[in-house]
Amino acid sequence: MVTEYQKAVAFILTQATDNEIAGIAEAAKSRRAWLTRQNIRLTVVGDKVSFTGRNGVTLTGTVQKVMQKNVIVNTPRGNYRVPANMLTAG
């Protein structure tokens, strides 16, 4: 079954103009920035969080410091500076 999202993406890939694609890219960039700010607001020192590291392994740790865009997470493997949009609770 084809979802509405799939139809929209198919349209963008086949029929959208350069200006339309630029507008969509800007909207996606704004949405990603909003989600990052939302995550930063909800994250506090001491929270248990998890994220996927560069090697594909999911790491779990405790928030040590919250910065503007990144969070320092203390894991058994050491401290990691993680973008807020990569964090999940737990």
Side-chain angles (χ1 to χ4, degrees), residues 7-40:
K7 289 178 186 177
V9 169
F11 169 79
I12 291 166
L13 293 176
T14 59
Q15 298 178 13
T17 66
D18 189 48
N19 286 338
E20 290 170 334
I21 292 171
I24 292 166
E26 184 62 33
K29 183 178 174 182
S30 295
R31 176 69 175 164
R32 181 173 286 145
W34 182 86
L35 289 171
T36 298
R37 288 190 308 272
Q38 185 72 8
N39 245 4
I40 288 289

